[in-house]
Amino acid sequence: MATMEECRSALDKLAENLAGANGDLRSAAALDRSVSCRITDLDITFFGRLTDGHIEDVTAVPGPPAERAEIRLTMSGDDLVALVDGELHFARAWGSGRVKLEAGFRDLLRLRKLL
């Protein structure tokens, strides 16, 4: 089971990947939205802001988030680490229910380029 530190590191790596995106990926990452990532096995939620291809002001709170983010991910810590490391394909994980993604329809269309 991934630790809180490993999950935080994976989110940092995801932020670096978004910041380094080019072309169509860069425009998809250029959203300005609140984002949360609920880690079910650790019962924590990372909450931050996706701004111009960066994830900023990330904080961890116990349990579910107090406020609903505009983009919401839910998964286990191991799945987060595997996704960021490229060992788990997002579409397969999402299709099988291992990863949940909730967002507005327009955001989902833009995010599909990233994921």
Side-chain angles (χ1 to χ4, degrees):
M1 181 167 88
T3 66
M4 185 171 159
E5 292 78 21
E6 290 170 323
C7 291
R8 179 59 192 242
S9 177
L11 287 172
D12 289 343
K13 184 174 178 182
L14 176 61
E16 288 175 25
N17 293 345
L18 290 174
N22 294 317
D24 287 343
L25 293 179
R26 180 71 177 166
S27 67
L31 296 169
D32 183 13
R33 302 285 189 273
S34 58
V35 62
S36 68
C37 183
R38 174 125 170 85
I39 307 299
T40 55
D41 54 339
L42 296 176
D43 194 27
I44 60 168
T45 302
F46 292 95
F47 193 84
R49 185 129 199 114
L50 176 62
T51 304
D52 194 30
H54 300 279
I55 301 174
E56 301 174 344
D57 302 324
V58 176
T59 58
V61 295
E67 53 187 271
R68 185 176 167 167
E70 294 165 295
I71 299 171
R72 299 168 304 282
L73 289 162
T74 304
M75 67 192 80
S76 72
D78 288 340
D79 286 343
L80 172 62
V81 171
L83 278 171
V84 173
D85 287 345
E87 298 169 4
L88 179 63
H89 190 267
F90 179 82
R92 289 187 195 121
W94 183 58
S96 68
R98 288 175 65 178
V99 172
K100 293 180 186 175
L101 171 64
E102 299 173 85
F105 184 70
R106 287 184 183 176
D107 289 342
L108 287 173
L109 288 177
R110 290 181 79 181
L111 289 169
R112 70 185 169 97
K113 293 178 185 177
L114 291 172
L115 305 171

